[in-house]
Amino acid sequence: MTQTTEKLHRKIKSAAELNAVVRTMKNWAAVSIGPYERAAHALTDYYQTVELGLVACVRQLSPTMLERQTDHASSSVGVVVFGSDQGMVGQFNDQLANFVLEKLQSVANKSI
């Protein structure tokens, strides 16, 4: 019976240690989630800023520019491309512009 009691004490001790580990992991996860939540909020703010900028740009257009012109509707394409103003992205804007131009040219060649 003492062996059974010893086994029970070891199991209880192991469960207590496991509980401490789980509690530590939960606390660590709670602390670690903060930067990700702030990043998600920052992305939401960025998205709203871009949206407001686009609205401001479109509002400055004259109504005639916004009307659909049927004679050019099938051959005209409007494209808005966003690059980056950050210095750490290297030649990103140039590569993006070249990529967009290539894609637009391939679409234009297919439609001819």
Side-chain angles (χ1 to χ4, degrees):
M1 179 112 187
T2 53
Q3 198 174 28
T4 307
T5 308
E6 260 182 48
K7 284 183 180 180
L8 284 173
H9 282 301
R10 272 190 270 140
K11 286 183 180 182
I12 291 170
K13 185 178 177 184
S14 293
E17 289 172 359
L18 182 61
N19 186 23
V21 170
V22 168
R23 202 173 330 118
T24 301
M25 290 175 69
K26 282 183 178 180
N27 288 334
W28 188 23
V31 169
S32 298
I33 196 82
Y36 296 106
E37 287 178 336
R38 286 190 295 277
H41 290 298
L43 284 172
T44 300
D45 292 343
Y46 176 76
Y47 176 76
Q48 289 173 343
T49 302
V50 170
E51 252 186 349
L52 287 173
L54 287 173
V55 167
C57 288
V58 170
R59 283 188 179 169
Q60 289 181 358
L61 297 175
S62 67
T64 57
M65 293 177 77
L66 296 175
E67 290 176 5
R68 186 173 199 164
Q69 299 174 358
T70 55
D71 55 337
H72 298 291
S74 62
S75 63
S76 296
V77 174
V79 178
V80 177
V81 179
F82 292 95
S84 174
D85 197 22
Q86 302 298 316
M88 300 297 287
V89 294
Q91 303 298 320
F92 176 76
N93 289 338
D94 294 334
Q95 291 175 357
L96 181 61
N98 290 334
F99 174 79
V100 170
L101 286 173
E102 287 174 12
K103 290 298 178 184
L104 288 173
Q105 288 170 350
S106 71
V107 168
N109 292 338
K110 287 180 184 177
S111 65
I112 292 177

